[in-house]
Amino acid sequence: MKGLFKSKPRTPADIVRHTRELLIYVDLNSNSRDTKREEKMAELCKNIRELKSVLYGNSESEPVAEACAQLTQEFFRENTLRLLIVCLPKLNLEARKDATQVVANLQRQQVHSRLIASDYLEANKDLLDLLISGYEDMDIALHYGAMLRECIRHQSIARYVLESEHMKKFFDYIQLPNFDIASDASATFKELLTRHKSTVAEFLARNYDWFFTEFNSRLLSSPNYITRRQAIKLLGDMLLDRSNSAVMIRYVSSKDNLMILMNLLRESSKNIQIEAFHVFKLFAANQNKPLEITSILVTNKDKLLRFLKDFKIDKEDEQFEADKAQVVKEIQALKKENTS
Amino acid sequence: MYPLDAKCYRLLYEVGSGVSAVVYKAVCLPPMDSSVVAIKSIDLERSRANLDDVRREAKAMALLSHPNVLRAHCSFTVDRHLWVVMPFMAAGSLQSIISSSFPDGLPESSIAVVLREILHALSYLHGQGHIHRDIKAGNILVDSDGSVKLADFGVSASIYESHPSSSVSLYMSSSSSSFFNDMAGTPYWMAPEVIHSHMGYGIKADIWSFGITALELAHGRPPLSHLPLSKSLMMKITNRLRLEEHGRDSTGGGNCKNKKKFSKAFKDMVAACLCRDPSKRPSADKLLRHPFFKNCKSTDYFVKNVLQAVPVVEERCKEPRVADCNGNDRDGSTSPLVKSRRVSGWNFNEDVFELDPVYPVESDDKCVRFGGEEPIDQPTAHPHSHVVDDDKSGNEADEKENHRRHHNHSRAEEKEVAKKAGEAPLSVLKQTLVPNLVSLLSSLDLQRGMVMDVLSHCGCKDGQQESLREQQLWGYVRSMQQTVDDLKLQLLREMKVNAELQERLGPLNRKMNEETGGHTGS
């Protein structure tokens, strides 16, 4: 170890402590524009870069586990993460990117085989509120967004965000006009709703009504092409996940949902049609179709069969063809029931 | 701050288009500042890239800030299109500049200017843990003031289109994932380790592409671009491409007048970039200290010596078949057909071959050198017809005999050619090699037939004639399929051999020239 730090007299913990002092200074003297602050600022940026190179390595060396652990431990021993997040808007672009990468990396660092970042965040959940609010500020949205996505790798943190009022805000964020920010928000939204299976299943079961009402009306029926396309893909991912089977059964038993899906099938966008089919097939395959579902399918039987007959995807896909054959079979079978 | 609404822009005219993207020159309407911008409109429905990739790329582009890196002002969706609003680079891409006014390449002093700018960009990107993965003249944009920017980080739909089979993410997101296993980039510029995609690759892949780009600027086209795509790829994978050797070759014997075309520093710089071992390639920072850039002129020099000779980008865009305006890669090998059409307009029989990669054979004693110069554009047509003919002729014993004869014959011929280096045109080699391969094929067929016979005889002992005959028939069907497969394989090998031969022509011709030069001297 001694040899390793010969060229760098400061230990990783030293760098963290120095960074923290500088952050406190910058935070307190936010308005002064004197040269001293400028100097401190430059020093801070340099320190953040050094933190990054300890965690990620640099062109000369790979990261060293022991150094990373030291850094992580010192970082979370005090409020460095809070200071860094709060001061981020004051940093220049390069330092913001470095800080984001540092925070992202720290979420995965284990100290004595514990993710201490998770413990810290659980005790400081208001930081997540701060990160989420970043979507309202174009300047910092991409940095806070990237940090947020790393933080919700921790299941307990994802649960906190899912169950917070913030979930409703995502329906706005993912339709922001700025593509970079909107797509970052929708990546986070997707991560929240797909990453931690049991937590997601629990969330959807408990919040079924408002969530799918919003999802249907604001996302699947959005006038915005990209919103619809991303939403229908996410819906398929959610409903086709085994852990969400209870939610799926509930979803495919609703006439309103079926109508939305059938409208999406009629879209001129092939991408949307295909994703819609993957959800539509669940309605058709449901062995306990409610009467209202059966009746819609029967009423539109000819049209549906004609549609499915012509419905092809560009590349060969056996699974798709098999699914389609199954759906056709189910819909054809409905006729017999009806006439008998 | 640029507005995030299509209504705030007026599209003036198209400056480039690809399969799923169009680039327009546009103005931002008052009350904004009515500044000129380029808008790349990507059809998200037609683009095969998935939206996550598009998101990652857009984000990467939004967070980069360097004078030599093209940064998007903003991006927003307009129905099914993603509009990326960027600075308008009035002189277009280097590729477009070359193809309109410098078909034989740029002068070396001008090359140095742009390459230095690109190295600054690469140094920044690599320092950020980013890999560009598609460095080429088509992605280097120039403004009328001579500023040079590296473009096309990912939101480039044309790139997605060129490799539909792979999930292409041009631009990596963080240094934590600096290795990729997907293929990305445009094949002629691709480094061997990118093609050996299982190995993953790092920033040194960009250095390779940078070296190829240097050659592209020098010659007006990338090396190997006269070959169809698959072949160029295959050659890189199967051959031991050792350009450091080549570098020695071309700098060693300076007799030939062709060789004066490029300075030693330039050749040395390119050879360093094209080192097969990525770890031996210099970094962008190190390259900036290379002697080639020592007395590098300013961008003003580039404006005076290059841009003034080039028609404005509008003019170039009006011409049909002019590829690549404003970084939009339309020539980018969307299909080999398009590529060869573009390439066929150029003259191959030139000294410009000089810097093309050399493929030494594995062991030196076997190193047969060929001479003559008759590049073949369609080497596949020939073997094909031969194969068909020979398939029809049923005299297998004869074929076998032929095969043996051909084999010896061709070996003798090879030696002869080696001796007379320069006198035998490649077509002769082709004539000997093709029948040789064809007869090899038929002999394989014959053997297969014999095996099948033996098998069926053995089977007959069991007495179950009916089912046996059926099995036999199936066996034949299978062997036919096998034959077809073998033929395909042979064809590929033949193509490869041809390509190799072509590559060997260059150095041999040089050697021959030296020899004849020596003769006349003595």
Side-chain angles (χ1 to χ4, degrees):
Chain A
M1 254 12 270
K2 236 183 248 168
L4 244 166
F5 297 113
K6 210 158 44 182
S7 54
K8 285 185 212 161
R10 293 196 301 165
T11 67
D14 288 339
I15 308 174
V16 175
R17 277 190 288 272
H18 192 199
T19 307
R20 189 160 53 223
E21 285 159 18
L22 291 165
L23 282 167
I24 290 168
Y25 179 88
V26 166
D27 190 34
L28 290 175
N29 301 278
S30 55
N31 293 320
S32 62
R33 285 226 159 261
D34 54 84
T35 42
K36 192 183 172 199
R37 187 176 176 275
E38 301 276 305
E39 272 169 32
K40 294 266 183 193
M41 205 59 172
E43 213 177 331
L44 174 60
C45 295
K46 223 181 97 213
N47 272 276
I48 296 172
R49 173 137 305 183
E50 269 186 68
L51 293 176
K52 182 179 139 185
S53 75
V54 172
L55 292 171
Y56 286 92
N58 53 37
S59 53
E60 282 105 52
S61 57
E62 292 287 300
V64 179
E66 173 59 28
C68 292
Q70 273 188 37
L71 189 156
T72 309
Q73 200 157 21
E74 181 60 32
F75 199 94
F76 289 111
R77 203 173 55 80
E78 280 183 53
N79 255 346
T80 324
L81 183 62
R82 175 180 301 276
L83 281 164
L84 192 57
I85 290 173
V86 169
C87 292
L88 188 111
K90 293 167 188 153
L91 303 176
N92 64 35
L93 178 68
E94 297 307 323
R96 286 179 190 185
K97 285 190 277 186
D98 289 340
T100 304
Q101 288 183 331
V102 167
V103 171
N105 187 295
L106 287 170
Q107 304 310 313
R108 304 164 197 213
Q109 292 290 346
Q110 298 197 352
V111 178
H112 307 306
S113 54
R114 261 197 85 78
L115 290 165
I116 58 173
S118 175
D119 300 342
Y120 178 86
L121 286 171
E122 269 195 74
N124 294 274
K125 284 178 181 148
D126 61 307
L127 284 178
L128 296 153
D129 306 339
L130 191 59
L131 290 180
I132 294 167
S133 71
Y135 284 122
E136 285 159 34
D137 181 347
M138 275 181 70
D139 278 344
I140 52 169
L142 294 180
H143 307 288
Y144 276 9
M147 288 185 188
L148 177 62
R149 259 195 312 289
E150 291 299 325
C151 293
I152 57 174
R153 294 166 67 92
H154 309 299
Q155 187 156 9
S156 59
I157 303 307
R159 186 182 300 117
Y160 167 76
V161 176
L162 277 169
E163 284 168 3
S164 70
E165 281 301 299
H166 299 304
M167 271 318 270
K168 292 200 169 88
K169 289 193 202 157
F170 273 96
F171 291 90
D172 296 317
Y173 295 154
I174 62 186
Q175 300 198 66
L176 285 169
N178 185 314
F179 177 77
D180 305 335
I181 298 172
S183 58
D184 191 280
S186 66
T188 307
F189 190 63
K190 183 182 175 180
E191 186 79 356
L192 282 167
L193 291 164
T194 50
R195 188 173 183 99
H196 304 285
K197 308 288 182 200
S198 59
T199 308
V200 173
E202 205 183 323
F203 164 77
L204 290 176
R206 236 190 273 165
N207 298 276
Y208 184 94
D209 287 323
W210 79 261
F211 182 80
F212 282 107
T213 305
E214 288 281 287
F215 201 93
N216 286 348
S217 64
R218 304 202 47 203
L219 305 186
L220 292 180
S221 311
S222 163
N224 188 333
Y225 160 83
I226 198 143
T227 304
R228 291 197 307 280
R229 185 169 155 189
Q230 285 177 321
I232 186 62
K233 172 86 170 70
L234 175 57
L235 181 65
D237 289 348
M238 288 193 294
L239 297 185
L240 287 159
D241 195 302
R242 200 176 285 273
S243 58
N244 293 328
S245 56
V247 172
M248 186 270 281
I249 299 285
R250 195 165 162 192
Y251 192 87
V252 301
S253 302
S254 149
K255 185 182 89 174
D256 292 338
N257 295 343
L258 177 63
M259 281 157 61
I260 286 171
L261 262 300
M262 282 172 68
N263 281 331
L264 288 170
L265 274 183
R266 286 175 54 236
E267 284 242 1
S268 56
S269 156
K270 197 83 183 172
N271 287 304
I272 291 177
Q273 280 188 318
I274 291 166
E275 294 303 332
F277 172 78
H278 287 306
V279 178
F280 173 76
K281 71 187 181 193
L282 299 171
F283 287 88
N286 180 8
Q287 291 309 300
N288 300 304
K289 294 183 201 58
L291 199 63
E292 55 179 18
I293 297 285
T294 316
S295 118
I296 289 179
L297 293 177
V298 167
T299 313
N300 296 284
K301 188 198 65 202
D302 288 344
K303 270 189 193 170
L304 277 169
L305 290 175
R306 222 181 309 134
F307 166 79
L308 290 168
K309 191 166 153 271
D310 297 334
F311 188 43
K312 292 192 175 67
I313 48 179
D314 296 337
K315 56 174 193 270
E316 234 170 88
D317 184 340
E318 276 181 37
Q319 188 57 48
F320 173 79
E321 290 302 326
D323 287 351
K324 205 174 83 174
Q326 184 64 28
V327 170
V328 168
K329 215 178 104 195
E330 291 285 346
I331 293 174
Q332 274 170 340
L334 288 175
K335 184 191 174 187
K336 285 176 207 149
E337 255 171 61
N338 209 35
T339 48
S340 61
Chain B
M1 221 33 240
Y2 284 81
L4 298 164
D5 185 348
K7 286 194 207 89
C8 302
Y9 298 90
R10 192 171 79 235
L11 303 180
L12 299 178
Y13 53 83
E14 198 181 307
V15 289
S17 69
V19 182
S20 65
V22 182
V23 183
Y24 299 96
K25 182 179 179 180
V27 282
C28 191
L29 295 172
M32 300 306 291
D33 55 358
S34 72
S35 57
V36 177
V37 292
I39 294 180
K40 183 176 218 168
S41 170
I42 299 164
D43 187 338
L44 294 172
E45 182 67 18
R46 290 185 66 193
S47 165
R48 298 184 206 224
N50 75 47
L51 294 177
D52 281 344
D53 289 337
V54 176
R55 172 183 67 81
R56 256 190 295 276
E57 323 300 6
K59 183 185 162 187
M61 206 168 160
L63 292 178
L64 291 168
S65 177
H66 186 274
N68 296 117
V69 172
L70 189 74
R71 186 184 188 184
H73 293 313
C74 64
S75 52
F76 52 92
T77 57
V78 182
D79 192 32
R80 293 182 182 185
H81 295 84
L82 176 65
W83 278 23
V84 183
V85 182
M86 302 176 287
F88 181 72
M89 301 292 282
S93 79
L94 277 181
Q95 204 275 320
S96 144
I97 289 170
I98 287 172
S99 64
S100 75
S101 309
F102 296 87
D104 298 326
L106 295 169
E108 210 178 288
S109 48
S110 298
I111 294 175
V113 176
V114 287
L115 288 185
R116 183 195 52 197
E117 300 297 302
I118 292 312
L119 281 177
H120 284 305
L122 282 180
S123 165
Y124 170 76
L125 292 177
H126 293 169
Q128 301 266 315
H130 288 293
I131 306 172
H132 184 282
R133 298 209 282 173
D134 204 18
I135 310 288
K136 57 176 182 178
N139 285 338
I140 299 170
L141 303 186
V142 185
D143 207 350
S144 47
D145 66 355
S147 64
V148 176
K149 289 180 198 284
L150 192 54
D152 244 331
F153 316 80
V155 269
S156 150
S158 53
I159 299 303
Y160 296 129
E161 297 302 330
S162 55
H163 302 283
S165 56
S166 58
S167 83
V168 177
S169 165
L170 267 208
Y171 212 84
M172 57 168 303
S173 45
S174 78
S175 52
S176 58
S177 57
S178 57
F179 288 90
F180 293 85
N181 283 312
D182 54 336
M183 287 253 275
T186 310
Y188 297 117
W189 289 261
M190 261 195 248
E193 71 275 12
V194 178
I195 299 162
H196 285 280
S197 50
H198 61 280
M199 286 160 65
Y201 54 97
I203 54 173
K204 291 299 178 68
D206 277 350
I207 300 298
W208 174 282
S209 307
F210 175 80
I212 300 290
T213 303
L215 292 180
E216 184 188 13
L217 299 180
H219 298 315
R221 56 165 183 81
L224 305 187
S225 63
H226 53 295
L227 303 175
L229 261 188
S230 58
K231 226 199 266 178
S232 160
L233 269 186
M234 201 158 57
M235 286 173 66
K236 277 195 199 160
I237 294 166
T238 51
N239 286 281
R240 286 176 182 264
L241 177 54
R242 285 176 288 178
L243 274 121
E244 62 271 36
E245 273 201 8
H246 153 70
R248 235 189 295 134
D249 270 8
S250 55
T251 50
N255 295 343
C256 186
K257 68 167 192 222
N258 298 340
K259 283 167 190 162
K260 285 174 189 155
K261 198 174 172 189
F262 299 107
S263 69
K264 184 179 179 301
F266 182 59
K267 288 180 201 165
D268 183 69
M269 192 275 293
V270 171
C273 296
L274 299 186
C275 181
R276 195 181 163 81
D277 179 356
S279 64
K280 287 186 185 143
R281 285 174 218 153
S283 66
D285 287 327
K286 197 175 170 199
L287 278 169
L288 278 168
R289 295 192 299 269
H290 191 278
F292 179 60
F293 298 106
K294 206 167 182 185
N295 295 310
C296 192
K297 306 273 200 315
S298 72
T299 48
D300 291 342
Y301 177 87
F302 189 80
V303 175
K304 279 185 206 125
N305 289 274
V306 174
L307 295 189
Q308 285 186 354
V310 178
V312 290
V313 74
E314 289 95 311
E315 293 301 316
R316 272 178 275 153
C317 290
K318 276 175 205 156
E319 291 168 32
R321 291 247 136 251
V322 170
D324 214 281
C325 286
N326 223 10
N328 189 53
D329 163 39
R330 78 200 300 190
D331 70 305
S333 61
T334 42
S335 78
L337 199 74
V338 174
K339 194 76 198 179
S340 61
R341 214 185 297 149
R342 180 169 80 95
V343 167
S344 67
W346 288 319
N347 186 357
F348 293 141
N349 284 342
E350 268 189 338
D351 47 351
V352 292
F353 264 106
E354 204 196 338
L355 271 165
D356 276 0
V358 175
Y359 297 91
V361 277
E362 300 231 9
S363 59
D364 286 339
D365 55 328
K366 272 196 336 197
C367 184
V368 182
R369 301 258 164 164
F370 299 93
E373 196 143 282
E374 237 183 74
I376 298 153
D377 282 324
Q378 301 295 335
T380 50
H382 234 247
H384 222 61
S385 59
H386 267 274
V387 167
V388 173
D389 284 352
D390 281 318
D391 246 13
K392 279 178 194 159
S393 77
N395 201 335
E396 286 156 334
D398 258 35
E399 286 297 328
K400 204 171 175 182
E401 190 55 41
N402 261 345
H403 153 61
R404 224 176 270 140
R405 226 174 34 224
H406 270 300
H407 199 67
N408 296 334
H409 181 58
S410 71
R411 230 186 241 166
E413 185 124 354
E414 273 177 22
K415 278 181 197 152
E416 209 175 286
V417 170
K419 237 184 276 166
K420 295 184 189 171
E423 282 174 26
L426 186 65
S427 55
V428 170
L429 287 169
K430 208 176 90 180
Q431 276 162 20
T432 57
L433 273 169
V434 169
N436 183 4
L437 285 167
V438 167
S439 52
L440 192 91
L441 246 182
S442 358
S443 101
L444 281 171
D445 254 356
L446 175 71
Q447 285 170 26
R448 189 180 302 109
M450 281 156 64
V451 170
M452 288 311 298
D453 266 351
V454 171
L455 278 176
S456 64
H457 281 306
C458 295
C460 274
K461 285 173 193 159
D462 290 331
Q464 292 175 314
Q465 296 280 347
E466 280 274 293
S467 66
L468 263 175
R469 199 161 295 158
E470 204 177 298
Q471 276 179 19
Q472 218 173 324
L473 283 170
W474 276 113
Y476 282 132
V477 171
R478 272 195 294 273
S479 79
M480 296 280 269
Q481 280 171 344
Q482 186 69 48
T483 312
V484 171
D485 288 346
D486 286 352
L487 283 170
K488 272 188 206 156
L489 211 75
Q490 290 287 351
L491 202 64
L492 281 171
R493 278 187 203 144
E494 161 68 8
M495 281 166 64
K496 200 187 89 187
V497 168
N498 263 326
E500 278 175 342
L501 288 175
Q502 248 174 303
E503 284 312 306
R504 288 179 197 161
L505 278 175
L508 253 149
N509 197 36
R510 226 177 296 138
K511 200 174 163 193
M512 189 199 82
N513 281 344
E514 281 167 30
E515 272 177 25
T516 51
H519 282 308
T520 50
S522 65

